[in-house]
Amino acid sequence: MLRQPPDITELQAMPLAELMRQALATKLARRGTSFSLCSIINAKSGKCSEDCHFCAQSAHYRTEAPVYPLLDTAQIIAAAREAQKNGASRFSLVTSGRGLAEADLPRMLDIIRAIREEVGINICASLGILGKDELLALKEAGVSRYHHNLETSREFFPQVCTTHSFADRIATIKAAQEAGLSVCSGGIFGLGESETDRLSMALSLVECGIDSVPINILIPLPGTPCAGIPPLPIAEILRTIALYRLILPQAAIRLAAGRESALADFLSSAFMGGADGMMIGGYLTQRGRSPRADRHFAEEIRQLWSI
């Protein structure tokens, strides 16, 4: 049975300081002082058929994103070991494209088995729109969680992508769950959407039963349709993170791409207002902070939570 979300109108009326206070209290009451770190590898890059307006890997736009086929097993194994060394509890294989190419599936399954046997880190996958049979094969090989972002609200999605639909994304999430995989799903703030859109996405995540929510903040990459979008005000980002914590009290809320540039000196405020996880080691086409700096930051936040 799905948990009923709180009164959104009442939450929206709260001052930011009170909203963040309640979000932190909810985080500590429901999830304790847990702070999770995960890492990804851009295992296949560029030439994507989809026209997601924020993405430098789309073949529809002229960008400087790298283009290469599926990496070899040794490279991916080395990256998984490095992620584990850096403190990540999960390592995700990410490929560009609408879905995993049929010819790449057997190789991907071999890579997953090799990571499971040689590294032992929890394995996630983000391979686009897949069917239940493919997802079952991934689970049997060793994947425990499938990542598939909603990206934005159902209502705003057509403004972000026209080559597939919001319904396609929901269908993949349901197929992954039917295959016995947990699902990580979130989106991007700052695409030009309204607060109402961001809250609509949060409610869709509740409806889908999502318990791991990555939050990206738009990096307006040159060559993409989103290149000229002005940044969201920091207060608006912090409000939305706090609202997500109160709407999704049991979920891991992970800050990913854009957190460093969008929040800058206020990054710690996001974790005092509901967030409790980070992606480390860089993103698909963009570098992040050093893993050492992120590990130190996570320990400092845990200490603050314990005071």
Side-chain angles (χ1 to χ4, degrees):
M1 181 176 180
L2 293 177
R3 184 187 67 82
Q4 290 298 309
D7 186 320
I8 303 297
T9 303
E10 183 179 327
L11 293 178
Q12 286 181 283
M14 287 184 188
L16 177 59
E18 175 61 16
L19 193 64
M20 291 177 66
R21 186 196 69 77
Q22 290 199 23
L24 179 58
T26 298
K27 147 61 189 171
L28 296 175
R30 298 295 187 94
R31 293 181 50 78
T33 57
S34 63
F35 192 123
S36 58
L37 300 175
C38 63
S39 185
I40 66 173
I41 183 171
N42 192 6
K44 179 182 180 181
S45 182
K47 291 189 177 180
C48 180
S49 63
E50 306 308 283
D51 70 352
C52 303
H53 294 182
F54 52 83
C55 185
Q57 296 193 70
S58 172
H60 294 258
Y61 318 126
R62 297 184 68 177
T63 71
E64 297 182 357
V67 176
Y68 52 80
L70 186 61
L71 297 175
D72 64 42
T73 303
Q75 287 175 281
I76 296 176
I77 290 289
R81 286 200 176 104
E82 185 67 15
Q84 189 176 59
K85 176 183 173 183
N86 288 332
S89 60
R90 289 187 170 274
F91 178 72
S92 185
L93 299 154
V94 185
T95 56
S96 65
R98 181 182 177 91
L100 189 65
E102 185 177 351
D104 285 337
L105 180 59
R107 281 193 59 207
M108 182 61 72
L109 297 176
D110 287 342
I111 289 166
I112 291 163
R113 295 184 192 103
I115 296 171
R116 185 184 64 191
E117 294 169 5
E118 298 183 34
V119 184
I121 194 170
N122 290 315
I123 306 168
C124 305
S126 183
L127 311 175
I129 296 172
L130 298 182
K132 185 177 177 180
D133 289 346
E134 295 163 302
L135 292 159
L136 281 167
L138 292 172
K139 183 177 188 297
E140 185 165 335
V143 171
S144 60
R145 176 175 288 167
Y146 197 70
H147 169 259
H148 198 64
N149 278 347
L150 294 181
E151 306 300 8
T152 189
S153 69
R154 183 187 305 274
E155 297 80 8
F156 192 70
F157 191 88
Q159 306 303 313
V160 175
C161 179
T162 67
T163 48
H164 62 270
S165 68
F166 191 87
D168 291 328
R169 290 190 171 262
I170 293 289
T172 298
I173 288 170
K174 290 182 177 178
Q177 291 169 331
E178 289 171 3
L181 293 163
S182 70
V183 174
C184 178
S185 182
I188 305 173
F189 297 166
L191 295 168
E193 80 287 349
S194 65
E195 180 177 84
T196 298
D197 286 311
R198 293 191 286 275
L199 294 178
S200 174
M201 183 176 80
L203 294 176
S204 291
L205 294 171
V206 172
E207 291 171 5
C208 289
I210 302 300
D211 61 6
S212 176
V213 179
I215 291 175
N216 302 273
I217 304 162
L218 178 68
I219 301 174
L221 298 172
T224 68
C226 290
I229 295 179
L232 281 179
I234 288 173
E236 196 167 340
I237 296 170
L238 295 177
R239 280 193 71 84
T240 308
I241 290 169
L243 286 164
Y244 268 54
R245 169 52 63 207
L246 293 169
I247 294 168
L248 294 141
Q250 302 287 8
I253 296 181
R254 310 173 186 278
L255 298 193
R259 60 182 165 90
E260 300 93 344
S261 56
L263 290 168
D265 292 340
F266 291 86
L267 180 59
S268 60
S269 298
F271 293 90
M272 300 307 289
D276 62 353
M278 288 193 306
M279 183 182 294
I280 63 170
Y283 314 110
L284 290 176
T285 63
Q286 302 295 306
R287 297 174 66 89
R289 296 197 308 183
S290 73
R292 181 178 180 181
D294 279 340
R295 288 199 310 272
H296 177 73
F297 176 85
E299 186 53 42
E300 291 288 334
I301 293 295
R302 287 192 190 99
Q303 290 178 19
L304 288 173
W305 285 340
S306 299
I307 295 173

